[in-house]
Amino acid sequence: MTTAIEGPVVELEIGGMTCASCAARVEKKLNRMDGVTATVNYATEKAQVTLAEGSGVATADLIATVEKTGYTAAVPAPPAPEPPADDTAGGPDADDGPLAALRQRLLVSLALSVPVVLMAMVPVLQFTNWQWLSLTLAAPVVAYGAWPFHRAAWTNLRHGAATMDTLISMGTLAAFGWSLWALFFGTAGMPGMTHPFELTIARTGGSGAIYLEAAAGVTTFILAGRYFEARAKRKAGAALRALLEMGAKDVAVLRGGQEVRVPVGELRVGDRFVVRPGEKIATDGRVVEGSSAVDASMLTGESVPVEVAPGGTVTGATVNAGGRLVVEATRIGADTQLARMARLVEDAQNGKAAAQRLADRISAVFVPVVIALALATLGFWFGTGHGAVAAFTAAVAVLIIACPCALGLATPTALMVGTGRGAQLGILLKGPEVLETTRTVDTVVLDKTGTVTTGVMALTGVHLADGVTRAQALRLAGALEHSSEHPIARAVATAAQEAEPTGALPAPEGFANVPGLGVRGSVEGHAVLVGRERLLNDRGQQLPPALAAAKDVAERAGHTAIAVGWDGAARAVLVVSDAVKPTSAEAVRRLRALGLTPVLLTGDNRAVAESVAAEVGIDEVIAEVLPEDKVAVIERLQAEGRSVAMVGDGVNDAAALARADLGLAMGTGTDAAIEAGDLTLVRGDLRTAADAIRLARATLGTIRTNLFWAFGYNVAALPLAAAGLLNPMIAGAAMAFSSVFVVGNSLRLRRFRALV
């Protein structure tokens, strides 16, 4: 990404790209325009174009350039202000049109190809005139199933380029065309013709050989690979949708002294709206009436709710955890913090380098070489007087043996087995682009709240005055806090219920909330106060020295200390904090064993962060980081030469997850974080982060092995094919064996085991 924007930025949706080389070609064409700096992302199918001041380049000029390159371009449509009511249920299928069409094409091709391949490879199935049934079944596969490859190959040809689509199209058409010639003009169409297995190498005229199984099988295999890739790619925009859907859908606006519930899209700056306990705050604003605790953890990662009062500010999509608030809207729509976070995620995704698949990188050299070799073979045999039949047979053999049958299985089979095994272990892997970075990452940044810690406030300490029992203090404080909706109060009430033999707490009388300080009431005849030290001090209840010291120690460690008093005296201090997960220390040790340096990143204060880091064994701490600055932290670490993995769970982590070289999202977190991550840890157990990296590395190694052998079989046989010594059945057997090897090698991933 550019570090400074010199002029207006235009975003375009690019259509028709089938591989990373397509994105590179579009980017190259755009960058050749004067005053244009473009980045094209194959994963998101978008181009981000920066125009220099005074360049005079219009959006229409950019679109025209892309279209001249052979692809489509359009300005993204603005998002609808309010999605339909059933969009949540139907959302995943909203973009399913192209994927459904590809799936249909794959299923039709699969159904037609299986009998063609079986008849060609199993002589006992070759009944009289079986070859004509093969032709009937293979023709729709080559015409309909392989149509996307033919179309892409034609587009590439018009622009003087070649990709894997070119090789697939040429190979299938050549195999099918030669089969037609052999059937109608050669001896292959004779009744009783069979394809025996002859494991010999000899020159052949080819007039009795058909390659229909190669044409149909290659098409189906490659379609399967494209389908699995498309399923992974379809999630590219889900992070943005998850962010934007977090906000409230409607709001109670005050108009003429009355509450009127309207869609949030009708809210205007200056409008005053009511937020009841438990409701989401509709937009950024300023509190004008009421006080409450606001749970902002989904946006900020802060474990402790923020107290707000008149004059304080609140952020859209956070939750009112306490009393009734009246808020005046100060920012709406695209200006809100939620919308800015959405833009951060989008920018991070667009800025991430388009990862070329291994097959595309190899094919950049392999495809032109194979085409040149096939043409040279045709010219050599024809020029040396061996005749058109022998020349064309040898050239077709070159294309057939080079046509990437096993290559079509190399990536998707490894991904299918790897992702299936990962799902059993609580790990979700998103596509092949993720894998390459897993072997290079050397730093892992861990978000604190919800990742290293539970993200839920819990009672972690009880300090008592002389003569007071733990059970008594928890019973009285818990009974009072049980009537409060504050998250800290819930932590005390939960601990008190667990301490009670029956799990039931007495009902308080005269319960009252003291804004910003705590609560008071009567429990079993005792006048009880629970809250800040000031609440007790204002009523003449001073903490004894031992309790005051315990409170100071807890607060220096970043914990929340709650004073409890009853019957006119301060009698206990309860310590509440976001507890460290019991598995986090072991997880950090496992990450270190993989050669990764852990870094703790949090928006909490440094005392809290350092306390947690010391407990789990992390040396490097970055604390008090604002949500929008987490991306900058990742970029700074990358600028130091580190390859960074990020583990997080909140919306505030989404942009950083997208910016990191490898994003690992906790499955117990928000949808935005999960969709922005490259790997998702379903169980929310940090130990699976190490297993996820190990599994990703193992899957990458399997894909590399698959690709090596997929090309190895073909490359080894190319000289034989060019020499006219390759029997068509040997070519078919080699391709079949390479496919079996690839599948078998991928299935080894089922034996992957998580560390105990």
Side-chain angles (χ1 to χ4, degrees), residues 674-695:
I674 291 171
E675 295 300 344
D678 300 313
L679 293 165
T680 300
L681 313 179
V682 176
R683 298 201 309 263
D685 186 341
L686 187 58
R687 290 179 299 181
T688 56
D691 290 329
I693 293 175
R694 289 176 53 242
L695 176 61

Side-chain angles (χ1 to χ4, degrees), residues 18-20 41-45 225-226 228-236 352-361 411-412 415 419 429-441 660-663 677-679 696 699-700 703-704:
T18 60
C19 61
N41 191 318
Y42 171 54
T44 59
E45 297 183 333
R226 291 286 169 86
F228 293 122
E229 179 189 23
R231 278 209 316 179
K233 271 181 55 182
R234 199 173 62 121
K235 295 181 177 291
K352 185 180 288 187
Q356 289 192 340
R357 294 182 303 152
L358 295 173
D360 282 324
R361 288 209 297 268
T411 296
L415 278 174
T419 54
L429 180 68
K430 293 184 181 177
E433 297 87 356
V434 175
L435 304 176
E436 293 177 72
T437 56
T438 60
R439 63 187 179 87
T440 61
V441 290
D661 299 291
L662 180 69
D678 300 313
L679 293 165
T699 306
L700 175 63
I703 289 176
R704 286 178 175 273

Side-chain angles (χ1 to χ4, degrees), residues 48-49 59 87 125 170 210 487 504 525 541 594 624 688 702 746:
Q48 192 171 41
V49 185
T59 302
D87 188 60
L125 299 178
M170 289 183 64
I210 58 175
Q541 300 180 22
L594 289 173
E624 300 175 7
T688 56
T702 301
S746 298

Side-chain angles (χ1 to χ4, degrees), residues 426-428 430 445 450-451 645-650 653-654 657-658 662-686 688-689 692:
I427 301 163
L428 296 182
K430 293 184 181 177
V445 175
T451 301
M646 167 79 183
V647 187
D649 73 325
D653 303 320
L657 287 168
L662 180 69
L664 296 93
M666 304 295 282
T668 51
T670 64
D671 289 343
I674 291 171
E675 295 300 344
D678 300 313
L679 293 165
T680 300
L681 313 179
V682 176
R683 298 201 309 263
D685 186 341
L686 187 58
T688 56

Side-chain angles (χ1 to χ4, degrees), residues 17-36:
M17 297 190 297
T18 60
C19 61
S21 58
C22 297
R25 188 153 60 254
V26 174
E27 184 174 302
K28 183 177 180 181
K29 291 287 187 181
L30 287 172
N31 283 322
R32 283 181 176 176
M33 301 176 69
D34 292 336
V36 171

Side-chain angles (χ1 to χ4, degrees), residues 82 179 192 400 562 631 712 753:
E82 183 70 20
S179 300
I400 294 301
I562 305 165
V631 171
R753 293 289 181 267

Side-chain angles (χ1 to χ4, degrees), residues 242-257:
L243 275 175
L244 295 173
E245 288 172 3
M246 276 189 55
K249 298 296 184 288
D250 53 27
V251 57
V253 181
L254 289 175
R255 289 180 178 166

